[in-house]
Amino acid sequence: MDSFGNVPRNNDVDSITKSISNKLMYSVGKDPSTAHAEDWLRATELAVRDRLVERWMQTNLAYDEQEPKRVYYLSMEFLIGRTFTNALLALGIYDQFKSALAELGVDMEELVNVEPDAALGNGGLGRLAACFLDSMATLGITGMGYGIRYDYGMFRQQIVDGMQIESPDYWLAGGNPWEFPRPEVQYRVRFGGHIEQIDGKPTWVGSHDVLATAYDTIIPGYATTNANTLRLWSAKATAEIDLSAFNQGNYLGAVSQKNNSENVTRVLYPDDSTLSGRQLRLHQEYFFVSASLQDLIRRYLRKHDSFDQLADSVAIHLNDTHPVLAVPELLRILIDEHDMEWERAWQLAQKIFSYTNHTLMLEALETWPVDMLSAVLPRHLSIIFMINAEFLAGVNEASGVDIERMRTLSLIEEGGERRVRMAYLAVVASYSINGVSKLHTELMRKSIFKDFEKIFPDRFNNKTNGITPRRWLSQANPAFSALIDQRIGPEWRRDLDRLSALREFTGDAAFIDAFRHAKQQNKLRLANWIRANLGIDVNTVSLFDVQVKRIHEYKRQLLNVLHVITRYNRIVENPQGEGVRRTVIFSGKAASAYYMAKNIIRLINDVAETINNDPRVGDRLKVVFIPNYSVSLAELIIPAADLSEQISLAGTEASGTGNMKLGLNGALTIGTLDGANVEILDQVGEENIFIFGNTTPQVESIRAHGYQPRQIYESNPELKKVLDQICSGVFSPDEPARFHMIFDELVNFGDRYLLLADYASYVATQDRVDMQYRESDEWHRKAVINVAGMGPFSSDRTIHDYAENIWHVRPLV
C-alpha cells in the first residue's frame, strides 16, 4: 500500500492484461470485438498512465515533505515525440505489455505507429528541452517544465509537386491521454491598457485579459521512482460567448472575443512576415511566462509567508530568448502585487534567473519594437527602461561615462526603429549565461556578448548539449541496443560513459558482423517505409547519407545538393563507373515565411525527380526527401544512417544534437569544425570522422579580405556546371527560371554562408567517404569507435553540470 492508502498495480502479464481489458471496457467504452487499433492504443495508454501516476504522486509527496529547491525550465518548445514506448521503457515493463497485448490478439508495433507525435516543437531547441526533462527526472532533480499547449503545432508538412505545403497538425483530434487538464489552475494574463499613477505608484489599468489554463504531463525518470511534470498553458477567453450579440443575430461577433483570445495558443511560431503575426508571437511569449511566473510564485507562497527564501527555493532557467519577458514579469509581480521595493526585487531577480544562448547570429537574437511593447505590455516596458537605466548608471559609475559604450550596451537599440534587445536583458538579469558547446561559448564571449563579458566575466560558462540515450538508442535502435547489452550489460542507459567499453570489441570480427547486421536491419526497416509511403525503391546495400534537420541556409542543405548534382554528373559522364552506391536522405521543415528555405526544399525534390527517374543512374544514386520530419521519423531514420551530414558554416551552429544522435547510432560524421562537431572529433579521433572546409578564423579572414564567390564559380568547371544546370532549368524544365534566385545568392549576391568556398573541400572529402565505405569491415569498425566515444554527449551529464554549477540543486533523496 502506498502513502495514499492505494494498492500499487502489479506488473505481471496477467495483471496487465486485466488492466488493458478494464480500460477498454470502462474508459474507452468498447468490447474487443468492435475495438479498432486506436481503441486498443487508448486503453493501453491509460493502463500505462495509471502506473506512471503512482510514481508521480509519490514524487510530488516527497517534494512537499523535503521542500527542495525547484528548477523551472521555461521553453517555447518541448518536442517530446510519442510517449507510449518511452513510458514503458522508463517503467521497465515494455516486454510485459507486449506479451499482454499478444494474449489479447493485438500487435503492439501496430499500436506504436498509431500514436501521433505531440506537436509541441519544431527543431533542436524543443528536442533539447525534452531530453533535459527526461534527464532531470532520471537524476532526481526537482524540475518542472513550462511551455504552451499548441492546438495545431507548427504545421503538418506535405510535399506537393516538390513544394512544401503547410496544413494544421491535428495532433489533439483524438484527445491526449497523457495529459491531465487542470481547470482549477487558471491565471489571468493581461495585455494592452496603460500606466496610471495611483497613490504614487505606477498602476497597469485598462487591459484586456486572457485566461491561462494548465495541462499537466508526467515526465518519468528511467529506472527510478521519480516522475516530474511538464505544465503547458492553453488560452481561454474570459467570456465564452456574448449572448446579447448572439441573440441579435451577430453570431460571428458573439464568439469573436473567444476566438481572438484562444488564437494565442493555436500554433507554434505563427508567420511573422506580417504585423499581426509578430504581435501574436509577442502575445504568446508573454502569455506563457506570465502564467508560469504566477504559478510558481503561488506554489512558493504555499510554504512561505515572505520572499526571504525565494532565491534559495526557486531557479528559473530561460531556454533562449523567447521566455525573457519572465524577467520584467517577476519584477511586476513582486513590486506591483506584493509591494516589494525595487532594489530588493531586482537583487532577487539576479539570483534566480539563468539563461542559455543558442545562436551567434545577430539577426536571430530576438528584439521587440518599443512601440509594440508599449501597446501590448506597457508596464513591462517601463520596468525594462528602469533596468536599463540602473545598469548603465552602474557601468558609468564603475568605468566612467562613455557614450559609445552606453549605446553598445544599452538594452534599447536606438538606431532607426527603437527596439528592446531581449538577449541583452537576459544577460543583465541572469547570474549565469551559458553556451551549448565549447566553440559556441568561446565565440559567444568574443562576439555577440564581448562587451558584457568584460563587465560580468564570471557569468559566462559552457554546458555542451546532450541527448538522452533512452530515447535515441534504447528506444530508437532496439537491434543495436540488444547487441550492446549482450557485451557490456544494460547500465549504459544510466551511464553513457560505459559505451567506451565497446572499444575493446573493435577488433572482434563477430561483434563487427553483428553490428553490421543490426545496421542492415535498420536500413531495411527505413527502406520499407520509404517504398510504402513515397513509392521509391532504395538499395539497402548503398551508403545511407543522411541530413535531417530544420531547413535553413546556414545549415547548408544546399551544399549537400551541390554535391548530389556533382555525383549525378559524374555517373552520367561515366555510366560504367564503379562508384559507391548512395541513397541521400533529407528531411526537415522550413518556416512558413522563409521563402529561400522553401525554395531549397523544392530544388531538393526537383533534383530527386530528375535523378530517380534517369535510367542511366539506376540504383547507384537515389535522393529522398521525407516529409513532415518529427521525433518518431527521426527514430526511424537515424538508426539507418551510415553518414551524418553536419555541414553548417564554421561559427554558425551553436552545438547541434543531430550529430550526437547519429553518432550514437553508428553513423560516421562528415562535417565542419562547428558546434559540437569539434568535441566529437576530440572523442572519436580525426581518423574516424570526415572534417572539411574552412575553420572559423579562416571564415573571418575570407570575409575580411573581400569574398568573391564568382571567381570560385568561374575557376571550378565541375562547380560551374552544377550551378549552370540549376540556373538554366535542367531540374525545372517546366519553369527554367525557378531557381535563378538560388544561383544569384551563391554567385552574384555574396554567398553569405560560403558554400562555394567550401565546395571543393566538401566534394574531395565525399570522395574519401566513398573510398572508406568500400572497406566494409574498416567502416563499421570506425562506426563502433564513434559509438564508444559518445559518452560525454549524454543529457544526463549536461543536466548534472547544470544542477551542480548553475542551479545549485541536489537530487531528491
Side-chain angles (χ1 to χ4, degrees):
M1 188 172 293
D2 65 20
S3 303
F4 302 96
N6 299 312
V7 177
R9 284 157 176 75
N10 293 322
N11 289 322
D12 59 279
V13 173
D14 185 55
S15 297
I16 291 170
T17 303
K18 291 176 182 176
S19 293
I20 296 171
S21 298
N22 286 337
K23 292 298 180 183
L24 184 69
M25 178 177 292
Y26 297 113
S27 297
V28 181
K30 289 286 187 77
D31 67 72
S33 66
T34 61
H36 300 290
E38 291 81 3
D39 302 319
W40 283 110
L41 174 63
R42 179 56 50 88
T44 310
E45 287 172 328
L46 293 173
V48 175
R49 192 181 78 165
D50 285 349
R51 289 156 172 81
L52 288 177
V53 168
E54 292 169 349
R55 296 187 177 196
W56 193 34
M57 293 300 170
Q58 292 295 334
T59 302
N60 288 333
L61 181 63
Y63 288 172
D64 284 342
E65 291 175 348
Q66 298 182 30
E67 296 186 38
K69 185 177 184 180
R70 292 178 184 249
V71 177
Y72 296 104
Y73 195 86
L74 273 58
S75 179
M76 280 288 282
E77 301 182 40
F78 288 96
L79 197 57
I80 60 176
R82 292 171 172 167
T83 299
F84 179 50
T85 303
N86 185 69
L88 289 172
L89 291 173
L91 292 166
I93 53 177
Y94 180 91
D95 290 336
Q96 295 94 311
F97 264 79
K98 187 173 183 179
S99 297
L101 285 167
E103 287 196 6
L104 292 166
V106 179
D107 180 3
M108 185 150 138
E109 292 305 313
E110 181 184 359
L111 299 194
V112 168
N113 292 321
V114 169
E115 183 184 17
D117 279 58
L120 299 171
N122 174 44
L125 184 81
R127 187 52 233 173
L128 180 76
C131 285
F132 279 6
L133 292 187
D134 175 278
S135 288
M136 279 191 259
T138 298
L139 297 180
I141 302 300
T142 314
M144 185 171 188
Y146 277 122
I148 294 178
R149 181 183 184 265
Y150 300 103
D151 294 340
Y152 307 115
M154 184 171 169
F155 56 78
R156 184 171 186 82
Q157 181 195 57
Q158 296 173 287
I159 302 299
V160 179
D161 297 328
M163 295 180 288
Q164 171 179 290
I165 303 297
E166 301 104 20
S167 60
D169 188 338
Y170 297 105
W171 73 286
L172 289 170
N176 180 6
W178 302 109
E179 69 182 6
F180 291 84
R182 302 297 192 202
E184 76 282 4
V185 181
Q186 195 171 76
Y187 299 97
R188 189 172 290 264
V189 179
R190 305 167 64 192
F191 299 101
H194 60 279
I195 307 299
E196 290 184 3
Q197 292 293 323
I198 300 176
D199 297 331
K201 291 177 56 177
T203 306
W204 188 8
V205 298
S207 63
H208 62 272
D209 304 347
V210 175
L211 298 178
T213 300
Y215 289 77
D216 289 348
T217 298
I218 304 172
I219 305 296
Y222 177 81
T224 174
T225 58
N226 294 322
N228 284 341
T229 302
L230 170 60
R231 174 159 286 181
L232 303 176
W233 301 103
S234 182
K236 308 295 180 186
T238 54
E240 286 288 312
I241 189 170
D242 182 342
L243 191 57
S244 176
F246 187 87
N247 288 336
Q248 293 172 19
N250 184 6
Y251 304 128
L252 292 178
V255 294
S256 62
Q257 180 186 347
K258 173 181 170 65
N259 289 336
N260 289 334
S261 297
E262 296 181 1
N263 281 341
V264 173
T265 54
R266 297 286 191 212
V267 298
L268 167 67
Y269 301 141
D271 187 335
D272 62 355
S273 61
T274 64
L275 176 61
S276 59
R278 291 190 291 275
Q279 289 175 333
L280 182 55
R281 282 204 185 192
L282 178 59
H283 279 75
Q284 283 186 332
E285 292 183 8
Y286 176 63
F287 168 81
F288 103 86
V289 301
S290 176
S292 303
L293 267 291
Q294 292 181 67
D295 192 51
L296 68 88
I297 291 294
R298 175 195 58 81
R299 185 176 298 108
Y300 169 83
L301 289 175
R302 282 207 316 248
K303 297 283 188 178
H304 304 84
D305 55 11
S306 77
F307 287 102
D308 293 345
Q309 302 300 315
L310 185 63
D312 296 323
S313 303
V314 168
I316 302 174
H317 196 84
L318 308 172
N319 189 29
D320 214 357
T321 53
H322 307 120
V324 173
L325 285 167
V327 174
E329 176 66 0
L330 177 62
L331 293 170
R332 183 196 68 79
I333 292 172
L334 295 177
I335 295 168
D336 294 2
E337 297 184 8
H338 296 280
D339 298 319
M340 189 179 290
E341 294 297 323
W342 165 266
E343 184 175 352
R344 185 183 177 211
W346 179 229
Q347 288 175 350
L348 272 177
Q350 290 177 295
K351 295 177 181 178
I352 289 171
F353 286 105
S354 51
Y355 160 61
T356 296
N357 171 268
H358 286 279
T359 183
L360 296 170
M361 293 186 285
L362 287 173
E363 69 273 17
L365 292 176
E366 197 169 47
T367 63
W368 289 110
V370 167
D371 288 347
M372 186 182 293
L373 277 172
S374 176
V376 177
L377 299 170
R379 179 61 177 134
H380 297 75
L381 181 62
S382 68
I383 291 171
I384 291 169
F385 271 106
M386 291 173 69
I387 295 171
N388 194 43
E390 181 161 317
F391 166 62
L392 292 178
V395 172
N396 289 341
E397 183 178 343
S399 306
V401 177
D402 182 331
I403 299 300
E404 187 56 37
R405 182 179 61 215
M406 290 175 65
R407 184 178 293 110
T408 300
L409 292 171
S410 176
L411 307 187
I412 313 300
E413 184 180 351
E414 301 286 356
E417 182 184 33
R418 300 174 77 206
R419 304 179 73 89
V420 176
R421 298 159 161 163
M422 302 307 289
Y424 286 15
L425 175 58
V427 169
V428 171
S430 300
Y431 64 86
S432 170
I433 302 105
N434 72 279
V436 291
S437 71
K438 290 178 181 178
L439 175 63
H440 169 242
T441 301
E442 177 187 346
L443 295 174
M444 180 180 73
R445 288 179 172 219
K446 291 180 179 179
S447 58
I448 55 175
F449 297 141
K450 64 179 180 181
D451 297 296
F452 290 97
E453 202 269 345
K454 296 172 186 175
I455 301 169
F456 308 121
D458 295 336
R459 293 188 184 184
F460 292 88
N461 61 91
N462 177 60
K463 298 290 176 285
T464 297
N465 282 344
I467 59 173
T468 169
R470 275 81 62 180
R471 169 80 64 167
W472 294 111
L473 186 52
S474 180
Q475 178 172 324
N477 198 340
F480 186 34
S481 296
L483 175 61
I484 297 173
D485 291 347
Q486 290 171 9
R487 294 304 179 107
I488 66 172
E491 291 80 10
W492 55 269
R493 291 170 176 82
R494 287 285 304 252
D495 180 6
L496 201 61
D497 285 330
R498 289 175 180 264
L499 290 184
S500 63
L502 293 178
R503 290 191 176 96
E504 299 176 17
F505 304 107
T506 56
D508 183 334
F511 181 80
I512 297 300
D513 281 344
F515 170 75
R516 179 168 32 223
H517 178 69
K519 176 66 71 174
Q520 192 63 25
Q521 283 183 271
N522 293 324
K523 291 171 74 171
L524 181 60
R525 180 178 62 165
L526 177 58
N528 289 338
W529 187 95
I530 291 171
R531 182 185 304 111
N533 291 273
L534 303 178
I536 301 172
D537 287 313
V538 299
N539 186 340
T540 57
V541 177
S542 67
L543 184 155
F544 277 25
D545 179 349
V546 171
Q547 188 174 21
V548 287
K549 55 187 70 213
R550 178 167 55 95
I551 308 296
H552 196 290
E553 289 168 271
Y554 87 85
K555 294 180 182 289
R556 301 205 297 188
Q557 285 93 351
L558 192 50
L559 180 60
N560 193 347
V561 176
L562 297 183
H563 170 251
V564 168
I565 299 172
T566 301
R567 198 174 191 90
Y568 170 60
N569 289 337
R570 289 177 177 179
I571 291 171
V572 171
E573 290 165 5
N574 184 16
Q576 306 306 316
E578 293 295 326
V580 169
R581 287 168 166 76
R582 281 218 197 189
T583 298
V584 184
I585 298 168
F586 296 89
S587 194
K589 295 179 181 179
S592 57
Y594 192 173
Y595 180 75
M596 184 62 171
K598 294 172 82 168
N599 212 23
I600 291 170
I601 289 176
R602 191 165 194 191
L603 176 62
I604 292 169
N605 283 290
D606 282 356
V607 168
E609 181 72 15
T610 300
I611 293 174
N612 295 346
N613 291 288
D614 190 329
R616 297 171 295 180
V617 176
D619 67 352
R620 284 178 290 177
L621 179 61
K622 293 287 185 182
V623 182
V624 180
F625 187 96
I626 297 178
N628 204 42
Y629 188 54
S630 62
V631 174
S632 56
L633 275 176
E635 292 174 32
L636 176 69
I637 298 168
I638 287 172
D642 293 306
L643 186 68
S644 165
E645 297 272 355
Q646 308 299 328
I647 59 178
S648 54
L649 176 66
T652 60
E653 184 72 82
S655 170
T657 53
N659 44 12
M660 304 169 189
K661 294 162 193 162
L662 285 150
L664 184 62
N665 281 274
L668 272 62
T669 299
I670 181 169
T672 53
L673 287 174
D674 196 25
N677 291 354
V678 178
E679 291 160 73
I680 291 175
L681 167 65
D682 291 341
Q683 293 299 318
V684 306
E686 62 181 9
E687 68 277 9
N688 300 306
I689 190 171
F690 299 98
I691 297 296
F692 75 94
N694 289 287
T695 63
T696 301
Q698 289 169 334
V699 168
E700 293 171 354
S701 176
I702 289 169
R703 286 173 167 163
H705 290 86
Y707 178 45
Q708 299 292 333
R710 176 166 278 277
Q711 291 180 2
I712 299 174
Y713 160 74
E714 292 175 346
S715 64
N716 186 321
E718 201 165 35
L719 172 62
K720 185 176 187 301
K721 179 177 181 178
V722 169
L723 290 167
D724 287 347
Q725 287 172 306
I726 292 172
C727 187
S728 64
V730 169
F731 303 105
S732 55
D734 56 322
E735 186 187 344
R738 181 179 297 160
F739 302 117
H740 278 186
M741 184 181 79
I742 289 177
F743 178 89
D744 284 337
E745 287 291 333
L746 295 180
V747 177
N748 298 321
F749 300 159
D751 184 18
R752 182 180 181 186
Y753 295 106
L754 275 64
L755 278 72
L756 304 197
D758 279 351
Y759 168 83
S761 174
Y762 180 53
V763 171
T765 305
Q766 290 282 15
D767 291 342
R768 286 176 47 218
V769 170
D770 281 357
M771 291 176 60
Q772 188 66 76
Y773 193 72
R774 288 190 178 96
E775 302 175 22
S776 179
D777 288 348
E778 183 63 11
W779 177 277
H780 290 96
R781 188 186 72 83
K782 290 176 181 289
V784 172
I785 291 173
N786 272 261
V787 176
M790 289 297 117
F793 304 109
S794 168
S795 53
D796 293 350
R797 186 271 313 156
T798 312
I799 287 300
H800 175 272
D801 290 349
Y802 273 95
E804 189 164 284
N805 302 319
I806 295 180
W807 302 327
H808 308 298
V809 295
R810 294 288 179 265
L812 192 69
V813 177

